[in-house]
Amino acid sequence: MIELTEGQKAPDFKAKDQNGKSISLSDFSGKDVILYFYPKDDTPGCTAEACSFRDNYQSLLKEGFEVLGVSTDDEKSHQKFITKYSLPFSLIADTDKKIVEAYGVWVEKNMYGKKYMGVARKTFIIDKNGLIKKIIDKVDTKNSSGQVLDSIK
């Protein structure tokens, strides 16, 4: 499994957003990007995390950030999630799991003794030059945007 570290070049990617529009990390060259990975649309923890970014979106924009969420859900699922919670940022449909694998977040999980593969919740803060500035491994779903803002102080 890939283990990315702070200071490394963030892997570029090309995938579709919730509207089927092609999107890549290099599209955001010259901007700071919050790239957050989450397991599944419209589940309690993932909803709390997305809503934290939504509720503090204007503060994040003022700090110069673009916000991108990534899960292995498809475009239709992302559209419903965005509509239901009025999310103002793009969600990337990584149905072929290329992005989650490139970022080392496609991992073995264990729930009630059952092992399965899934997306680890993790946030990458990527600077204007495409370098990983900060990795947040222990995401506080209710305060995910606060964690990001605290990490840049």
Side-chain angles (χ1 to χ4, degrees):
M1 183 181 84
I2 293 166
E3 184 74 32
L4 296 176
T5 58
E6 292 173 8
Q8 257 187 307
K9 185 96 172 135
D12 198 5
F13 57 80
K14 190 176 200 95
K16 303 267 189 222
D17 70 5
Q18 69 278 358
N19 299 316
K21 180 179 164 230
S22 187
I23 192 168
S24 66
L25 183 60
S26 55
D27 293 343
F28 300 93
S29 182
K31 294 184 176 189
D32 291 323
V33 175
I34 297 165
L35 185 66
Y36 81 95
F37 291 88
Y38 65 98
K40 187 131 187 68
D41 288 341
D42 209 6
T43 55
C46 299
T47 298
E49 184 176 17
C51 289
S52 174
F53 284 122
R54 176 200 65 201
D55 294 347
N56 293 293
Y57 189 63
Q58 292 307 315
S59 299
L60 295 166
L61 288 178
K62 278 184 194 144
E63 292 292 335
F65 286 109
E66 287 288 338
V67 178
L68 297 172
V70 181
S71 82
T72 57
D73 293 311
D74 63 20
E75 296 161 29
K76 193 172 186 176
S77 176
H78 284 342
Q79 281 176 345
K80 283 185 195 168
F81 191 40
I82 285 171
T83 301
K84 185 173 181 178
Y85 295 101
S86 302
L87 303 179
F89 47 84
S90 291
L91 297 178
I92 298 170
D94 187 23
T95 54
D96 61 7
K97 300 173 184 66
K98 285 183 179 165
I99 305 169
V100 293
E101 287 175 353
Y103 279 80
V105 297
W106 185 247
V107 299
E108 184 176 79
K109 293 178 150 193
N110 189 344
M111 188 183 292
Y112 308 119
K114 183 182 174 211
K115 292 184 188 304
Y116 64 98
M117 295 300 289
V119 177
R121 189 181 310 281
K122 196 179 268 203
T123 301
F124 293 82
I125 301 172
I126 301 164
D127 74 11
K128 294 170 176 48
N129 302 312
L131 299 177
I132 299 170
K133 191 167 166 180
K134 180 85 178 144
I135 299 172
I136 301 171
D137 287 306
K138 302 222 182 308
V139 175
D140 175 356
T141 57
K142 290 183 173 79
N143 187 37
S144 51
S145 59
Q147 282 181 299
V148 168
L149 292 168
D150 289 347
S151 76
I152 61 167
K153 289 180 180 166

